[in-house]
Amino acid sequence: MAGASLGARFYQQIKRHPGIIPMIGFICLGMGSAALYLLRLALRSPDVCWDRKNNPEPWNRLSPNDQYKVPLDGSRVTPHPLTSWSGDPQLPYH
């Protein structure tokens, strides 16, 4: 067993313990989902700028129908009722 390759040892372990097959499947599914989510964030988010020379301000390309993180119409952000433990609601923007 000392000279066996990693793939051969892995195959032997799966053969001996078939109950780990679902665990390996769920781990691979989770890792794949996380990788796809990070790829989506890196490619589709307006906060990420890959080409600063040709496009220094990518947020200017957004249309008015795109979702923004902050309100641009001047409306006030209402805080969540449980923003502090002291009883005084702390406003996020003063």
Side-chain angles (χ1 to χ4, degrees), residues 36-48 50:
L36 287 174
Y37 180 67
L38 287 175
L39 187 64
R40 178 185 162 262
L41 283 178
L43 295 177
R44 303 291 295 166
S45 177
D47 298 330
V48 179
W50 291 101

Side-chain angles (χ1 to χ4, degrees), residues 20-38:
I20 63 172
I21 294 172
M23 182 180 68
I24 293 171
F26 283 116
I27 288 173
C28 290
L29 180 69
M31 289 172 53
S33 298
L36 287 174
Y37 180 67
L38 287 175

